Structures are given as C-alpha cells and as structure tokens.
Amino acid sequence: MKSVVVGSQWGDEGKGKVVDWLSERADVIVRFQGGHNAGHTLVIDGVTYKLSLLPSGVVRKGKTSIIGNGVVIDPWALLSEIEKVQKQGVEVSPDTLKIAENACLILPIHQKLDAASETLRGTNKIGTTGRGIGPAYEDKVGRRAIRVCDLADPASLKEKLTSLLAHHNAILSASGSEVMGLEDMFDALCEVAKRILPHATPVWRLLEQYRREGKRILFEGAQGIMLDVDYGTYPYVTSSNTLSGSASLGSGSGMHTIGYVLGITKAYTTRVGAGPFPSELADATGEKIGERGHEFGTVTGRKRRCGWFDAVLVKQAVTVGGITGIALTKLDVLDGFEELKICTGYTINGTRYDYLPAATELQALAQPVYETIEGWSESTRGARSWAELPAAAIKYIRRIEELIGCPVAMLSTSPNREDTILVRDPFLGV
C-alpha cells in the first residue's frame, strides 16, 4: 500500500510531525520533489530534529529512507544534515538511506545565480531561499544538469561540468558577477562523490521490489500545493510540482499503485515570502496567531505571514491535488479566540469568485469574503480524542470539512507526535 502526504496550503503546515507519526506504520519513506529549501521539524521523546533533504522517517530505526529523482540535491548540504542527525544518535548508512542515481545536483554556481536573479528583480522579489533550487531545476529541463550517476565517471563529469559552466559563466560575466572556475568545482565534486555514491541506486526498481513484497510506502511532499509551479500563486511559487501526482514522477513509481492522499492543513493560514495572501491579517490578531504558533521558517528563520483559514484555497488544493483526507494541524493555536473567521470566497473588481484565478493581477486584487464562527475558551492542546475537544472546536472542524469538501482524517493538537487524533488510517483508508 502506498500513501502520499502533501501540503494543502503554502507549506509549513506541519508535515514533519504527521509524516513521522505515519512513518511508524510505514516501511519505506520517500521524498519526491523539492530540495533543501523545505524544512520539517520533528519532536520525538523531547528531542527536536530539523530536517531539509532527509526524509522524516530517517529518525526511526528499521525504516528505509529514499530521496527520489524529483528532488534536487545539494550534496554538501545533504552530508552536513547527515552529520548533524548522526550526532543526535540517528543511524544513516547506505542501508538506511537510498538516493536515486538520476537525481540532479545543486552546485555552488546555482546558489550564486539564485541570489543574482533575486537582486535583479528588485522590488519584485519572489522570496526564494537563495539555495539554488530554481537554477538547478532550470538546468534539469535545459538538459545540462549534473546528476548523481555522473559522479561515478570523472572524465564524463568534467566534460559535462565544462559545458554547464560555459553556459552560466556567460550570464554571470554579462551581469558583472564573478565567474566560477572548473577545477575547484570538479575537485570538490570528486571528493563528495566518495560519500554520495554508496547511497546511489535505481530507486524505481527498488520501489517496485518493495511493492511486490507488500511493504507500506509513504511518499513525503515538500512545500504546499499553492506553491506548485503550475497550480500555485505563480510566479510566487517553488520550482517543482508539489501535487500528489509528483510522487509518481519524482520516484519512478506508477500512479496506479498509489492509494490514499493525505493533505496536511493548518487550522489557519500562513505564508513565507512574497505573493498574494487574501486572508492575511496585518494586525494584532495576525501577530497573536504568529506568536502562539511560533511561525518562523524552519530553513530560513523568516517570520511567516498569518491569516484566517482560507477554505477556497484548500478546496482548490483538494481538487487539483487529488486529496482523499486532510490532517488538520495547530488547532490549539486558536484556543481562546472569542470568534474565528473562515474565508469562503473572494471579490475581485466587484465580482464574486469561489476559486483563486490564475492571473497574477487578479490574485493581487482578491478580497476575502468571511464567515464568522464561534470560538472556544477551553484548551485543545494535547487532546487525543474527540471527547476532549470543546463543542465549538468540533463545530469549527465540521464547517471546514463542509467548505473544502474533504473529511478530516487526522487531527494534530500539539507538536508532540502522541497528541494526535486518528479518524481514518491513510494506509488502510478506514
């Protein structure tokens, strides 16, 4: 059985905890898109783990973690992350971590190009993490990328690296930036190859083997559907497809073998960086939500923008993402509010919309239409059953289900993995 976990908003929905919770039931955990711009925070037995490239299941013994071909990999960042979790007592070896041999690499020149591009945009910055993700994906579709398998053939690697640098150095030179040399980068890649190649394998074959053996496979997405390069708030998006369908493309696993799709959904809405955000609260209420929710990016540390729950966006994500059920997170952050609001539509130039249109200009003009619902004074933090939830909190949850057209399969009431209410098992569908 294969299940996929994706974010249904703009990322930062709490996927790390949910994936960790589910990984106890899984045998194999797969990352299938994005890079080290993603950040997942796990809290296990009082120990906090901050992961970017490594699948969340890596912290659990007896599990196989896989980085698929849809991920762009900064090998130095990966090795640094491995060393960090190893110091925390986590075993990471070629037996526990597999890397797709056809995954593309992020090189230092990609980070330089990323920073230069953001600078040239001036006030129109997209808000990238500056880690070279976009330029690496550009090289992938431009058919000049360096892949993991290339590290095994130094002669071919040098030839491909020469071609890649010729392309990018011309751009850097034209923009007045310092170009990058071949030999230093080649030597650095040859050195890192010794530690990366033992993990490399044809992941697609391995996943088919696991499927035939009846193993439970969990696919872990990064970012969120509203950051999808096609269906997100373009151009303020990430550089990959974040929908559940990417689990197949980014790992070599057939779509027909994937079952349940779980959409991680925060009980309110947040966003990092620039871009439209119709339900954003630029007031004391927004500040209060951010402070209570500790809304700072795992990777960048940037403060997240906060707002009321946007049912329009989540319903859109449910539709395009093929989401079967949602895991509602951070409900406890809303404890103590006398009333809550839910965005149920938009007005744009006097016209009512029940979806967010694709045009950037229209998105920027979207004004939220709110429905007000009663809040609750009791605490939901740490609740592990419906019986422990206030009636008003349950009413809020049920209204969200109605508006997005999708049931709540899981409910998270604190960062601790045990503080979870399971309604439907994503592996069993019941």
Side-chain angles (χ1 to χ4, degrees):
M1 179 66 179
K2 298 180 181 180
S3 296
V4 182
V5 172
V6 293
S8 68
Q9 294 157 308
W10 279 299
D12 309 310
E13 301 95 347
K15 290 184 291 296
K17 173 203 165 171
V18 175
V19 171
D20 172 62
W21 195 92
L22 291 171
S23 68
E24 189 172 42
R25 290 169 162 76
D27 302 302
V28 182
I29 299 88
V30 185
R31 269 288 308 276
F32 59 85
Q33 49 77 218
H36 63 311
N37 54 342
H40 295 167
T41 300
L42 313 178
V43 181
I44 303 172
D45 297 329
V47 180
T48 299
Y49 302 92
K50 293 185 180 294
L51 307 178
S52 294
L53 271 171
L54 292 172
S56 296
V58 76
V59 300
R60 302 222 152 265
K61 292 183 178 180
K63 313 295 180 181
T64 300
S65 293
I66 292 177
I67 299 177
N69 59 275
V71 179
V72 285
I73 302 170
D74 181 325
W76 298 277
L78 176 60
L79 292 175
S80 176
E81 190 174 331
I82 289 174
E83 290 173 358
K84 183 177 178 180
V85 297
Q86 284 177 331
K87 290 179 181 177
Q88 292 181 286
V90 176
E91 178 191 355
V92 182
S93 70
D95 292 326
T96 62
L97 175 65
K98 309 291 184 180
I99 301 174
E101 61 181 2
N102 55 335
C104 296
L105 299 180
I106 299 174
L107 307 177
I109 197 167
H110 292 136
Q111 295 159 4
K112 193 168 185 177
L113 289 165
D114 204 351
S117 295
E118 279 288 82
T119 299
L120 290 172
R121 290 188 181 101
T123 58
N124 297 317
K125 287 182 172 62
I126 290 174
T128 74
T129 59
R131 302 196 168 204
I133 312 298
Y137 274 118
E138 287 181 35
D139 276 353
K140 179 177 181 177
V141 297
R143 292 161 293 186
R144 55 179 171 266
I146 304 299
R147 300 185 297 169
V148 171
C149 55
D150 294 328
L151 298 177
D153 186 345
S156 176
L157 171 63
K158 195 165 194 176
E159 182 179 337
K160 292 175 181 177
L161 194 57
T162 300
S163 177
L164 181 145
L165 288 176
H167 175 85
H168 289 311
N169 277 337
I171 297 173
L172 291 174
S173 179
S175 65
S177 300
E178 183 182 356
V179 299
M180 300 197 74
L182 170 65
E183 293 303 329
D184 286 346
M185 193 176 298
F186 174 71
D187 291 343
L189 282 172
C190 287
E191 185 62 31
V192 84
K194 303 171 186 176
R195 300 174 63 188
I196 294 293
L197 286 175
H199 297 270
T201 191
V203 157
W204 62 273
R205 294 185 73 233
L206 193 60
L207 287 172
E208 176 60 13
Q209 175 189 325
Y210 290 155
R211 184 187 72 83
R212 291 181 180 277
E213 293 173 355
K215 291 189 176 182
R216 291 182 172 183
I217 304 174
L218 183 65
F219 292 88
E220 175 186 9
Q223 290 93 30
I225 287 177
M226 298 317 297
L227 288 175
D228 183 271
V229 69
D230 287 312
Y231 292 98
T233 48
Y234 190 91
Y236 303 99
V237 293
T238 193
S239 302
S240 60
N241 288 109
T242 59
L243 276 62
S244 58
S246 295
S248 174
L249 296 171
S251 66
S253 182
M255 274 298 297
H256 68 285
T257 65
I258 294 176
Y260 201 95
V261 179
L262 184 68
I264 315 302
T265 308
K266 199 175 288 186
Y268 48 96
T269 309
T270 63
R271 173 163 206 170
V272 171
F277 186 169
S279 67
E280 182 174 11
L281 295 169
D283 58 13
T285 300
E287 287 290 328
K288 182 178 179 180
I289 291 174
E291 289 172 5
R292 297 187 63 181
H294 305 291
E295 296 297 348
F296 295 91
T298 300
V299 170
T300 64
R302 289 184 294 181
K303 185 178 180 180
R304 296 176 186 138
R305 301 153 63 191
C306 299
W308 294 121
F309 186 85
D310 191 330
V312 183
L313 283 185
V314 176
K315 183 177 182 179
Q316 201 161 316
V318 165
T319 302
V320 301
I323 294 173
T324 313
I326 68 168
L328 194 65
T329 65
K330 291 200 167 185
L331 181 69
D332 57 299
V333 173
L334 300 180
D335 292 350
F337 283 90
E338 290 186 8
E339 64 178 30
L340 305 169
K341 292 183 179 181
I342 301 175
C343 178
T344 59
Y346 310 120
T347 56
I348 303 175
N349 292 329
T351 300
R352 177 72 179 261
Y353 283 78
D354 61 358
Y355 70 99
L356 189 64
T360 305
E361 294 74 19
L362 294 181
Q363 291 178 355
L365 295 173
Q367 296 297 314
V369 176
Y370 286 124
E371 174 181 307
T372 301
I373 190 167
E374 179 188 3
W376 56 90
S377 58
E378 306 95 322
S379 174
T380 63
R381 188 174 181 83
R384 299 182 184 181
S385 70
W386 287 103
E388 297 177 56
L389 297 176
I394 294 176
K395 183 178 179 180
Y396 180 73
I397 295 166
R398 296 306 184 204
R399 185 56 180 149
I400 285 176
E401 289 180 319
E402 292 173 358
L403 290 169
I404 68 174
C406 188
V408 170
M410 296 177 66
L411 186 67
S412 171
T413 57
S414 92
N416 296 318
R417 68 185 304 275
E418 294 82 6
D419 295 336
T420 305
I421 300 172
L422 179 65
V423 183
R424 293 175 178 83
D425 191 319
F427 283 112
L428 302 178
V430 295

